[in-house]
Amino acid sequence: MSTVSTQAATRLAEPAQAGLSFEAYQSLYRWSMEDPEGFWREQGRRLHWFQPYTRIEQCDFNAENPRIAWYEDGSLNAAYNCLDRHLKQRADKTAILWEPDDPSLPTRRLSYRDLHTAVCRFANGLKQRGIGKGDRVAIYMPMVPEAAVAMLACARIGAIHTVIFGGFSPQAIADRIQDCQAKAIITADESRRGGQGVALKGNVDKALADNDCSSLETVVVLETGDRTLDWHGARDVSWSNLTRDVSDDCPAEEMSAEDPLFILYTSGSTGKPKGVLHTTGGYLVHASLSHEVIFDLQEDDVYWCAADVGWITGHSYIVYGPLANGATTVMFEGVPTWPDAGRIGEIIDKHQVSILYTAPTLVRALMAKGSQATEASERKSLRLLGSVGEPINPEAWQWYHDEIGCGDCPIVDTWWQTETGGVLISPLPSTPDLKPGSAMLPFFGVEPALMDQSGRELTAEAPSGQALEGNLVIKRSWPGQARTLWGNHQRFAETYFSAYPGCYFPGDGARRDEDGHWWITGRVDDVLNVSGHRLGTAEIESALVAHAAVAEAAVVGYPHDIKGQGIYVYVTLSEDAGQGSDQLRRVLKDQVRKELSPIATPDVIQWADGLPKTRSGKIMRRILRKIAAAEYDQLGDTSTLADPAVVESLIQEHKHLM
Ligand code: 6R9
């Protein structure tokens, strides 16, 4: 394993090989704050550059026109760094260890050599279809090694991939293809989860049939089973045909550090999902450095991140970070609670997994099953646990620590986002006195601060031992930061840089305690976090009002034992829709599933004659959130309401529903 940086090792208390001590973390962090150029110049050397960089950072958090660039004059290739570079020493090491949904089917192991060959062949296939540098390619795949092959093949030829989560609907696929004008989509006949098959190719066909996706020329289909497919003449090609007569050799395209690597769509508080754009050099430095240091990666680790490649966690910590570090990364096709709650433990024992990285929602789901989740496995191979996606409540943290980790493994609670590319706030395994529920300390180069509503920096004025709470901001750039939103730099500026000029605003609230440790308190905007998935209330609302019976809909989150947040919907029916009924509730839930995704399905639908609005017509979600949480006595100031009587009737109806 490479050390934090071979050169910098002389300036470290000890190399990462032995695990970074807390003192080493502190001195490296200090270095990254006092001499960011020197620090990041050094860390950039962990990658292979075709053309070495001389410039380190050109960043300006300008509120109207932010500009972020790292290692700008260097050139490299992400796939080369994840594959070719390891062939000398690790050709036979397992790169991807694949565990199928059906536990009775065999595991697949792809060595670095196998993966390199598969990527080169597939990349050559894409080239034959006229795909090259700068073209956008959508990937809508199950959790199979070919999903990673497809990503890396795009990276190899300089095409920009956009992975679409396999649970998304045809409409969501079409929206993304249209937004980035994708030239090709790579999919499979089906995905298998929990013993059920989902027709991925069928969803793609529907997306393309019902929408104008004229940019799209090629559909590549991986055939994994015997599902019958509709083949569309020149447009569709099977994976096996595409790679039949191609060479094993495909030179890696020389990319500028600031050339795009991928777009990943994520929900915002308004409008359609945003195409978050990541570039090549800085992203890969950050993903690989954070992966090595935060997970204290050792050469013989079996590392399992139980996320989906459709999310940023899958990009940075299943594919790019681990493979850039030459690690063995586990990919799991299925559902962690199927066939039963013991599956996670069985996979850990079967593959001797040493590092497990997952989301609090899964921990809570297992916790609810009690001993069923742990009795059939030993989990002795584990030495480190990670958490990501949402705040982890202390009970779940403790259970994860005591039961899954047998009381022996530190937990790294990693706070970050699609937009941050990699982890920004997290303990290291060596951080003393881990606090359940706290993301603890900033990663190298990350300078967090707290703001109040009026834009005053709380952290600037308070003494270091004082506890504070406010809106979290990051005061300077880091290499993995998103550079823009695809085709909409203005929305990028407005969303992240306008609230607190000179700072990046992630949309989360946080607390810094007396010891200087950070606690993320959750979203402060209209974004929900349901089972670790980000969902915009606006998207769900527009899926609902698309139904003729709905005049108006307002969506809020409410506390949910397993999901963290559940989806609570207030619906005002249109005049001629008649009375609300359970039948209509089912229809509306179905509408959201189809328009967006099953993960966006409302948990509760409450009929509302009216919604609480200001005189200017803005829905006061704050009040709706309190009612959904049954906190009727904490509604706060209701004096700006146009019609205060609405609130009482909403409360009565809520009591009636619960
Ligand atoms: C990586 C990822 C980002 C949002 C983020 C925050 C929440 C993520 C967290 C956490 C508390 C943690 N979040 N990790 N909250 N503690 N350790 O999840 O990206 O899907 O973009 O979601 O998730 O609210 O703003 P993404």
Side-chain angles (χ1 to χ4, degrees):
M1 208 65 22
S2 67
T3 57
V4 165
S5 125
T6 38
Q7 293 283 316
T10 51
R11 298 187 58 182
L12 301 179
E14 48 189 303
Q17 218 116 23
L20 206 60
S21 71
F22 187 60
E23 291 67 35
Y25 157 77
Q26 287 176 310
S27 82
L28 282 167
Y29 181 74
R30 231 175 290 123
W31 179 19
S32 75
M33 285 293 109
E34 289 162 7
D35 172 24
E37 290 257 327
F39 178 84
W40 289 112
R41 173 173 289 113
E42 207 57 59
Q43 305 316 322
R45 296 198 180 142
R46 60 190 295 108
L47 300 183
H48 175 90
W49 298 82
F50 295 140
Q51 171 71 45
Y53 50 83
T54 62
R55 293 210 290 275
I56 306 302
E57 176 193 4
Q58 259 82 42
C59 299
D60 175 8
F61 282 1
N62 182 298
E64 267 100 54
N65 186 19
R67 180 180 139 75
I68 300 151
W70 287 83
Y71 308 109
E72 209 174 6
D73 61 347
S75 72
L76 76 169
N77 182 284
Y80 186 96
N81 274 282
C82 290
L83 301 168
D84 306 51
R85 180 161 84 103
H86 304 309
L87 293 181
K88 259 196 218 129
Q89 284 175 355
R90 301 190 180 98
D92 295 318
K93 178 174 176 177
T94 301
I96 296 180
L97 202 169
W98 180 74
E99 172 69 19
D101 182 50
D102 180 345
S104 67
L105 293 177
T107 299
R108 282 171 66 190
R109 287 169 190 275
L110 276 80
S111 68
Y112 273 91
R113 185 186 290 109
D114 298 336
L115 188 59
H116 177 261
T117 308
V119 167
C120 286
R121 294 183 70 85
F122 192 66
N124 280 329
L126 290 177
K127 276 191 187 167
Q128 275 185 3
R129 300 290 290 201
I131 296 159
K133 189 169 177 171
D135 288 334
R136 275 79 62 205
V137 175
I139 298 177
Y140 181 63
M141 294 277 278
M143 280 289 290
V144 293
E146 284 77 6
V149 171
M151 292 164 78
L152 292 164
C154 288
R156 193 161 191 94
I157 62 175
I160 306 167
H161 61 71
T162 183
V163 181
I164 302 172
F165 173 56
F168 278 142
S169 66
Q171 191 56 51
I173 301 170
D175 288 345
R176 285 154 177 77
I177 291 174
Q178 287 173 338
D179 187 74
C180 70
Q181 293 287 294
K183 200 165 169 181
I185 184 164
I186 302 160
T187 188
D189 47 0
E190 64 170 12
S191 77
R192 282 172 305 270
R193 287 171 54 79
Q196 307 283 319
V198 176
L200 296 184
K201 166 70 158 69
N203 283 347
V204 170
D205 286 343
K206 191 161 177 2
L208 299 180
D210 297 350
N211 298 275
D212 176 19
C213 296
S214 52
S215 62
L216 202 104
E217 295 167 3
T218 294
V219 179
V220 184
V221 188
L222 177 74
E223 289 171 285
T224 63
D226 43 21
R227 189 180 276 263
T228 327
L229 303 174
D230 282 338
W231 289 93
H232 295 248
R235 189 195 74 186
D236 296 356
V237 56
S238 73
W239 184 293
S240 51
N241 281 342
L242 187 75
T243 51
R244 181 151 302 139
D245 299 314
V246 294
S247 153
D248 278 0
D249 180 41
C250 174
E253 189 78 30
E254 183 170 340
M255 305 298 285
S256 145
E258 283 302 328
D259 280 336
L261 178 61
F262 64 84
I263 302 167
L264 189 57
Y265 285 85
T266 188
S267 296
S269 50
T270 56
K272 292 215 164 186
K274 313 174 275 200
V276 173
L277 182 88
H278 284 286
T279 56
T280 309
Y283 170 79
L284 205 59
V285 170
H286 186 190
S288 76
L289 176 69
S290 57
H291 179 257
E292 180 184 320
V293 169
I294 293 170
F295 296 104
D296 174 27
L297 189 71
Q298 309 291 322
E299 187 66 53
D300 53 1
D301 270 318
V302 176
Y303 161 88
W304 181 18
C305 167
D308 191 285
V309 289
W311 309 117
I312 191 68
T313 307
H315 284 60
S316 302
Y317 298 113
I318 295 178
V319 178
Y320 287 112
L323 296 177
N325 290 337
T328 296
T329 182
V330 175
M331 244 178 127
F332 174 44
E333 183 181 38
V335 180
T337 47
W338 187 84
D340 56 52
R343 187 76 195 271
I344 282 250
E346 278 160 31
I347 296 174
I348 292 168
D349 283 2
K350 179 171 171 191
H351 300 301
Q352 292 293 293
V353 170
S354 52
I355 305 171
L356 174 68
Y357 188 31
T358 189
T361 186
L362 173 68
V363 175
R364 289 190 297 266
L366 295 179
M367 192 165 94
K369 301 276 182 187
S371 58
Q372 278 178 39
T374 49
E375 62 198 2
S377 58
E378 289 194 312
R379 303 169 314 286
K380 286 276 184 293
S381 53
L382 283 177
R383 64 177 182 81
L384 179 60
L385 302 173
S387 175
V388 60
E390 50 179 320
I392 182 163
N393 47 311
E395 301 73 31
W397 193 101
Q398 207 60 54
W399 188 86
Y400 193 28
H401 180 267
D402 296 349
E403 301 299 325
I404 296 292
C406 307
D408 272 344
C409 309
I411 299 178
V412 290
D413 177 1
T414 62
W415 174 81
W416 60 295
Q417 310 177 292
T418 305
E419 296 87 340
T420 69
V423 175
L424 293 197
I425 304 182
S426 170
L428 303 190
S430 59
T431 304
D433 305 323
L434 293 177
K435 297 175 182 170
S438 171
M440 303 294 286
L441 292 167
F443 188 63
F444 306 139
V446 176
E447 189 183 358
L450 293 172
M451 297 284 183
D452 72 7
Q453 298 295 344
S454 65
R456 213 161 41 98
E457 187 188 331
L458 302 171
T459 27
E461 293 160 15
S464 57
Q466 185 185 331
L468 296 167
E469 188 163 339
N471 284 353
L472 178 64
V473 297
I474 311 294
K475 292 178 74 173
R476 56 171 95 177
S477 185
W478 62 97
Q481 183 169 24
R483 305 308 197 239
T484 190
L485 297 178
W486 182 259
N488 203 342
H489 197 59
Q490 195 187 337
R491 188 175 176 198
F492 183 66
E494 279 162 13
T495 311
Y496 307 108
F497 299 94
S498 68
Y500 300 105
C503 296
Y504 169 79
F505 176 47
D508 280 323
R511 184 156 64 83
R512 198 188 68 187
D513 69 16
E514 296 80 359
D515 304 321
H517 294 137
W518 294 84
W519 301 70
I520 309 301
T521 52
R523 301 291 307 189
V524 295
D525 56 10
D526 289 325
V527 171
L528 307 183
N529 192 326
V530 179
S531 302
H533 301 314
R534 261 167 86 166
L535 296 166
T537 51
E539 288 169 80
I540 305 173
E541 286 162 8
S542 64
L544 287 161
V545 295
H547 194 281
V550 178
E552 195 165 36
V555 172
V556 296
Y558 73 102
H560 188 289
D561 285 349
I562 305 281
K563 300 181 184 181
Q565 269 190 316
I567 301 175
Y568 198 101
V569 184
Y570 298 86
V571 168
T572 307
L573 292 171
S574 50
E575 300 255 324
D576 45 7
Q579 290 282 313
S581 62
D582 282 347
Q583 162 67 11
L584 185 54
R585 282 196 173 94
R586 278 193 293 275
V587 170
L588 293 180
K589 286 184 183 180
D590 216 40
Q591 164 100 359
V592 179
R593 294 171 73 90
K594 286 210 190 98
E595 285 267 324
L596 285 172
S597 156
I599 54 182
T601 310
D603 293 284
V604 183
I605 296 179
Q606 172 172 342
W607 310 120
D609 291 337
L611 295 171
K613 291 185 184 167
T614 60
R615 286 184 195 93
S616 62
K618 267 189 130 179
I619 296 175
M620 292 181 74
R621 284 163 205 284
R622 168 172 64 79
I623 294 176
L624 293 175
R625 275 195 285 269
K626 291 291 177 192
I627 297 174
E631 294 171 349
Y632 312 128
D633 53 349
Q634 293 170 39
L635 300 183
D637 180 15
T638 53
S639 62
T640 54
L641 278 175
D643 176 11
V646 164
V647 173
E648 192 46 40
S649 80
L650 288 173
I651 291 177
Q652 290 316 321
E653 182 64 23
H654 180 264
K655 284 184 177 160
H656 176 70
L657 257 182
M658 291 296 116

PDB file of all heavy atoms in Angstrom, residues 201 205 219-223 227-239 241:
ATOM      1  N   LYS A 201     -33.475  -3.361 -18.732  1.00  0.00           N
ATOM      2  CA  LYS A 201     -33.559  -3.048 -20.165  1.00  0.00           C
ATOM      3  C   LYS A 201     -34.985  -2.616 -20.518  1.00  0.00           C
ATOM      4  O   LYS A 201     -35.191  -1.696 -21.310  1.00  0.00           O
ATOM      5  CB  LYS A 201     -33.119  -4.280 -20.975  1.00  0.00           C
ATOM      6  CG  LYS A 201     -33.452  -4.251 -22.466  1.00  0.00           C
ATOM      7  CD  LYS A 201     -32.634  -3.230 -23.241  1.00  0.00           C
ATOM      8  CE  LYS A 201     -32.543  -3.505 -24.727  1.00  0.00           C
ATOM      9  NZ  LYS A 201     -33.790  -3.328 -25.472  1.00  0.00           N
ATOM     10  N   ASP A 205     -36.060   0.783 -22.360  1.00  0.00           N
ATOM     11  CA  ASP A 205     -36.917   0.823 -23.559  1.00  0.00           C
ATOM     12  C   ASP A 205     -38.075   1.785 -23.358  1.00  0.00           C
ATOM     13  O   ASP A 205     -38.406   2.579 -24.235  1.00  0.00           O
ATOM     14  CB  ASP A 205     -37.478  -0.576 -23.862  1.00  0.00           C
ATOM     15  CG  ASP A 205     -36.418  -1.508 -24.437  1.00  0.00           C
ATOM     16  OD1 ASP A 205     -35.373  -0.998 -24.895  1.00  0.00           O
ATOM     17  OD2 ASP A 205     -36.622  -2.741 -24.408  1.00  0.00           O
ATOM     18  N   VAL A 219     -27.539   1.455 -27.065  1.00  0.00           N
ATOM     19  CA  VAL A 219     -27.890   0.814 -25.799  1.00  0.00           C
ATOM     20  C   VAL A 219     -27.082  -0.484 -25.716  1.00  0.00           C
ATOM     21  O   VAL A 219     -27.251  -1.371 -26.552  1.00  0.00           O
ATOM     22  CB  VAL A 219     -29.402   0.496 -25.723  1.00  0.00           C
ATOM     23  CG1 VAL A 219     -29.747  -0.200 -24.412  1.00  0.00           C
ATOM     24  CG2 VAL A 219     -30.236   1.763 -25.890  1.00  0.00           C
ATOM     25  N   VAL A 220     -26.189  -0.573 -24.745  1.00  0.00           N
ATOM     26  CA  VAL A 220     -25.426  -1.810 -24.557  1.00  0.00           C
ATOM     27  C   VAL A 220     -26.111  -2.617 -23.461  1.00  0.00           C
ATOM     28  O   VAL A 220     -26.444  -2.075 -22.402  1.00  0.00           O
ATOM     29  CB  VAL A 220     -23.968  -1.528 -24.132  1.00  0.00           C
ATOM     30  CG1 VAL A 220     -23.186  -2.838 -24.045  1.00  0.00           C
ATOM     31  CG2 VAL A 220     -23.287  -0.563 -25.089  1.00  0.00           C
ATOM     32  N   VAL A 221     -26.325  -3.903 -23.732  1.00  0.00           N
ATOM     33  CA  VAL A 221     -27.079  -4.727 -22.787  1.00  0.00           C
ATOM     34  C   VAL A 221     -26.258  -5.918 -22.314  1.00  0.00           C
ATOM     35  O   VAL A 221     -25.871  -6.778 -23.111  1.00  0.00           O
ATOM     36  CB  VAL A 221     -28.378  -5.259 -23.439  1.00  0.00           C
ATOM     37  CG1 VAL A 221     -29.246  -5.954 -22.398  1.00  0.00           C
ATOM     38  CG2 VAL A 221     -29.148  -4.147 -24.118  1.00  0.00           C
ATOM     39  N   LEU A 222     -26.009  -5.957 -21.022  1.00  0.00           N
ATOM     40  CA  LEU A 222     -25.352  -7.121 -20.430  1.00  0.00           C
ATOM     41  C   LEU A 222     -26.413  -8.175 -20.162  1.00  0.00           C
ATOM     42  O   LEU A 222     -27.419  -7.895 -19.498  1.00  0.00           O
ATOM     43  CB  LEU A 222     -24.678  -6.712 -19.112  1.00  0.00           C
ATOM     44  CG  LEU A 222     -24.016  -7.853 -18.341  1.00  0.00           C
ATOM     45  CD1 LEU A 222     -22.714  -8.272 -19.021  1.00  0.00           C
ATOM     46  CD2 LEU A 222     -23.753  -7.454 -16.896  1.00  0.00           C
ATOM     47  N   GLU A 223     -26.192  -9.370 -20.704  1.00  0.00           N
ATOM     48  CA  GLU A 223     -27.172 -10.435 -20.481  1.00  0.00           C
ATOM     49  C   GLU A 223     -26.702 -11.327 -19.340  1.00  0.00           C
ATOM     50  O   GLU A 223     -25.665 -11.970 -19.431  1.00  0.00           O
ATOM     51  CB  GLU A 223     -27.364 -11.238 -21.760  1.00  0.00           C
ATOM     52  CG  GLU A 223     -28.115 -10.423 -22.813  1.00  0.00           C
ATOM     53  CD  GLU A 223     -28.131 -11.096 -24.170  1.00  0.00           C
ATOM     54  OE1 GLU A 223     -27.089 -11.070 -24.848  1.00  0.00           O
ATOM     55  OE2 GLU A 223     -29.181 -11.651 -24.524  1.00  0.00           O
ATOM     56  N   ARG A 227     -33.996 -13.802 -19.417  1.00  0.00           N
ATOM     57  CA  ARG A 227     -35.146 -12.937 -19.665  1.00  0.00           C
ATOM     58  C   ARG A 227     -35.218 -12.593 -21.167  1.00  0.00           C
ATOM     59  O   ARG A 227     -34.199 -12.276 -21.780  1.00  0.00           O
ATOM     60  CB  ARG A 227     -34.956 -11.658 -18.855  1.00  0.00           C
ATOM     61  CG  ARG A 227     -36.142 -10.738 -18.830  1.00  0.00           C
ATOM     62  CD  ARG A 227     -35.810  -9.518 -17.986  1.00  0.00           C
ATOM     63  NE  ARG A 227     -36.024  -9.732 -16.558  1.00  0.00           N
ATOM     64  CZ  ARG A 227     -37.131  -9.355 -15.905  1.00  0.00           C
ATOM     65  NH1 ARG A 227     -38.114  -8.772 -16.549  1.00  0.00           N
ATOM     66  NH2 ARG A 227     -37.257  -9.561 -14.612  1.00  0.00           N
ATOM     67  N   THR A 228     -36.415 -12.667 -21.745  1.00  0.00           N
ATOM     68  CA  THR A 228     -36.558 -12.322 -23.166  1.00  0.00           C
ATOM     69  C   THR A 228     -36.564 -10.803 -23.319  1.00  0.00           C
ATOM     70  O   THR A 228     -37.253 -10.103 -22.574  1.00  0.00           O
ATOM     71  CB  THR A 228     -37.898 -12.847 -23.719  1.00  0.00           C
ATOM     72  OG1 THR A 228     -38.195 -14.067 -23.039  1.00  0.00           O
ATOM     73  CG2 THR A 228     -37.853 -13.076 -25.198  1.00  0.00           C
ATOM     74  N   LEU A 229     -35.798 -10.324 -24.279  1.00  0.00           N
ATOM     75  CA  LEU A 229     -35.676  -8.878 -24.453  1.00  0.00           C
ATOM     76  C   LEU A 229     -36.170  -8.458 -25.828  1.00  0.00           C
ATOM     77  O   LEU A 229     -36.110  -9.224 -26.781  1.00  0.00           O
ATOM     78  CB  LEU A 229     -34.211  -8.456 -24.314  1.00  0.00           C
ATOM     79  CG  LEU A 229     -33.517  -8.824 -23.001  1.00  0.00           C
ATOM     80  CD1 LEU A 229     -32.033  -8.472 -23.085  1.00  0.00           C
ATOM     81  CD2 LEU A 229     -34.159  -8.107 -21.834  1.00  0.00           C
ATOM     82  N   ASP A 230     -36.628  -7.216 -25.903  1.00  0.00           N
ATOM     83  CA  ASP A 230     -36.919  -6.617 -27.210  1.00  0.00           C
ATOM     84  C   ASP A 230     -35.636  -5.996 -27.729  1.00  0.00           C
ATOM     85  O   ASP A 230     -35.059  -5.151 -27.050  1.00  0.00           O
ATOM     86  CB  ASP A 230     -37.933  -5.468 -27.048  1.00  0.00           C
ATOM     87  CG  ASP A 230     -39.330  -5.999 -26.882  1.00  0.00           C
ATOM     88  OD1 ASP A 230     -39.578  -7.148 -27.298  1.00  0.00           O
ATOM     89  OD2 ASP A 230     -40.161  -5.265 -26.311  1.00  0.00           O
ATOM     90  N   TRP A 231     -35.217  -6.405 -28.911  1.00  0.00           N
ATOM     91  CA  TRP A 231     -33.991  -5.808 -29.459  1.00  0.00           C
ATOM     92  C   TRP A 231     -34.353  -4.777 -30.506  1.00  0.00           C
ATOM     93  O   TRP A 231     -35.145  -5.037 -31.388  1.00  0.00           O
ATOM     94  CB  TRP A 231     -33.080  -6.890 -30.046  1.00  0.00           C
ATOM     95  CG  TRP A 231     -32.472  -7.725 -28.960  1.00  0.00           C
ATOM     96  CD1 TRP A 231     -32.964  -8.890 -28.469  1.00  0.00           C
ATOM     97  CD2 TRP A 231     -31.296  -7.434 -28.201  1.00  0.00           C
ATOM     98  NE1 TRP A 231     -32.171  -9.361 -27.441  1.00  0.00           N
ATOM     99  CE2 TRP A 231     -31.136  -8.480 -27.262  1.00  0.00           C
ATOM    100  CE3 TRP A 231     -30.360  -6.390 -28.199  1.00  0.00           C
ATOM    101  CZ2 TRP A 231     -30.082  -8.517 -26.345  1.00  0.00           C
ATOM    102  CZ3 TRP A 231     -29.303  -6.432 -27.294  1.00  0.00           C
ATOM    103  CH2 TRP A 231     -29.175  -7.484 -26.383  1.00  0.00           C
ATOM    104  N   HIS A 232     -33.768  -3.601 -30.383  1.00  0.00           N
ATOM    105  CA  HIS A 232     -34.057  -2.525 -31.338  1.00  0.00           C
ATOM    106  C   HIS A 232     -32.884  -2.375 -32.290  1.00  0.00           C
ATOM    107  O   HIS A 232     -31.879  -1.743 -31.943  1.00  0.00           O
ATOM    108  CB  HIS A 232     -34.322  -1.212 -30.608  1.00  0.00           C
ATOM    109  CG  HIS A 232     -35.564  -1.263 -29.774  1.00  0.00           C
ATOM    110  ND1 HIS A 232     -36.698  -0.537 -30.064  1.00  0.00           N
ATOM    111  CD2 HIS A 232     -35.865  -1.997 -28.669  1.00  0.00           C
ATOM    112  CE1 HIS A 232     -37.632  -0.812 -29.162  1.00  0.00           C
ATOM    113  NE2 HIS A 232     -37.150  -1.684 -28.312  1.00  0.00           N
ATOM    114  N   GLY A 233     -33.036  -2.985 -33.426  1.00  0.00           N
ATOM    115  CA  GLY A 233     -32.098  -2.983 -34.542  1.00  0.00           C
ATOM    116  C   GLY A 233     -30.727  -2.409 -34.279  1.00  0.00           C
ATOM    117  O   GLY A 233     -29.954  -2.920 -33.480  1.00  0.00           O
ATOM    118  N   ALA A 234     -30.432  -1.307 -34.928  1.00  0.00           N
ATOM    119  CA  ALA A 234     -29.090  -0.751 -34.891  1.00  0.00           C
ATOM    120  C   ALA A 234     -28.749  -0.124 -33.541  1.00  0.00           C
ATOM    121  O   ALA A 234     -27.598   0.044 -33.200  1.00  0.00           O
ATOM    122  CB  ALA A 234     -28.951   0.299 -35.987  1.00  0.00           C
ATOM    123  N   ARG A 235     -29.778   0.209 -32.777  1.00  0.00           N
ATOM    124  CA  ARG A 235     -29.541   0.925 -31.518  1.00  0.00           C
ATOM    125  C   ARG A 235     -28.938   0.010 -30.439  1.00  0.00           C
ATOM    126  O   ARG A 235     -28.049   0.400 -29.695  1.00  0.00           O
ATOM    127  CB  ARG A 235     -30.884   1.487 -31.033  1.00  0.00           C
ATOM    128  CG  ARG A 235     -30.786   2.443 -29.866  1.00  0.00           C
ATOM    129  CD  ARG A 235     -32.147   2.669 -29.226  1.00  0.00           C
ATOM    130  NE  ARG A 235     -32.583   1.514 -28.446  1.00  0.00           N
ATOM    131  CZ  ARG A 235     -33.773   1.388 -27.867  1.00  0.00           C
ATOM    132  NH1 ARG A 235     -34.687   2.338 -28.009  1.00  0.00           N
ATOM    133  NH2 ARG A 235     -34.091   0.315 -27.163  1.00  0.00           N
ATOM    134  N   ASP A 236     -29.457  -1.212 -30.348  1.00  0.00           N
ATOM    135  CA  ASP A 236     -29.093  -2.083 -29.233  1.00  0.00           C
ATOM    136  C   ASP A 236     -27.966  -3.036 -29.608  1.00  0.00           C
ATOM    137  O   ASP A 236     -27.923  -3.564 -30.721  1.00  0.00           O
ATOM    138  CB  ASP A 236     -30.303  -2.928 -28.802  1.00  0.00           C
ATOM    139  CG  ASP A 236     -31.446  -2.083 -28.265  1.00  0.00           C
ATOM    140  OD1 ASP A 236     -31.273  -0.850 -28.164  1.00  0.00           O
ATOM    141  OD2 ASP A 236     -32.502  -2.666 -27.950  1.00  0.00           O
ATOM    142  N   VAL A 237     -27.081  -3.276 -28.668  1.00  0.00           N
ATOM    143  CA  VAL A 237     -26.024  -4.257 -28.891  1.00  0.00           C
ATOM    144  C   VAL A 237     -25.755  -4.970 -27.567  1.00  0.00           C
ATOM    145  O   VAL A 237     -25.796  -4.339 -26.501  1.00  0.00           O
ATOM    146  CB  VAL A 237     -24.740  -3.586 -29.450  1.00  0.00           C
ATOM    147  CG1 VAL A 237     -24.237  -2.471 -28.538  1.00  0.00           C
ATOM    148  CG2 VAL A 237     -23.630  -4.594 -29.683  1.00  0.00           C
ATOM    149  N   SER A 238     -25.519  -6.275 -27.635  1.00  0.00           N
ATOM    150  CA  SER A 238     -25.251  -6.981 -26.386  1.00  0.00           C
ATOM    151  C   SER A 238     -23.796  -6.754 -25.989  1.00  0.00           C
ATOM    152  O   SER A 238     -22.925  -6.522 -26.832  1.00  0.00           O
ATOM    153  CB  SER A 238     -25.537  -8.476 -26.543  1.00  0.00           C
ATOM    154  OG  SER A 238     -24.520  -9.070 -27.327  1.00  0.00           O
ATOM    155  N   TRP A 239     -23.548  -6.837 -24.701  1.00  0.00           N
ATOM    156  CA  TRP A 239     -22.189  -6.667 -24.159  1.00  0.00           C
ATOM    157  C   TRP A 239     -21.254  -7.664 -24.837  1.00  0.00           C
ATOM    158  O   TRP A 239     -20.148  -7.317 -25.252  1.00  0.00           O
ATOM    159  CB  TRP A 239     -22.246  -6.894 -22.642  1.00  0.00           C
ATOM    160  CG  TRP A 239     -20.969  -6.661 -21.907  1.00  0.00           C
ATOM    161  CD1 TRP A 239     -19.820  -7.406 -22.009  1.00  0.00           C
ATOM    162  CD2 TRP A 239     -20.698  -5.631 -20.952  1.00  0.00           C
ATOM    163  NE1 TRP A 239     -18.862  -6.894 -21.167  1.00  0.00           N
ATOM    164  CE2 TRP A 239     -19.374  -5.803 -20.511  1.00  0.00           C
ATOM    165  CE3 TRP A 239     -21.449  -4.574 -20.416  1.00  0.00           C
ATOM    166  CZ2 TRP A 239     -18.783  -4.978 -19.554  1.00  0.00           C
ATOM    167  CZ3 TRP A 239     -20.863  -3.759 -19.463  1.00  0.00           C
ATOM    168  CH2 TRP A 239     -19.547  -3.957 -19.047  1.00  0.00           C
ATOM    169  N   ASN A 241     -21.501  -9.225 -27.760  1.00  0.00           N
ATOM    170  CA  ASN A 241     -21.187  -8.898 -29.160  1.00  0.00           C
ATOM    171  C   ASN A 241     -20.244  -7.702 -29.261  1.00  0.00           C
ATOM    172  O   ASN A 241     -19.352  -7.667 -30.101  1.00  0.00           O
ATOM    173  CB  ASN A 241     -22.464  -8.601 -29.959  1.00  0.00           C
ATOM    174  CG  ASN A 241     -23.166  -9.888 -30.349  1.00  0.00           C
ATOM    175  OD1 ASN A 241     -22.552 -10.968 -30.327  1.00  0.00           O
ATOM    176  ND2 ASN A 241     -24.444  -9.784 -30.677  1.00  0.00           N
TER     177      ASN A 241
END
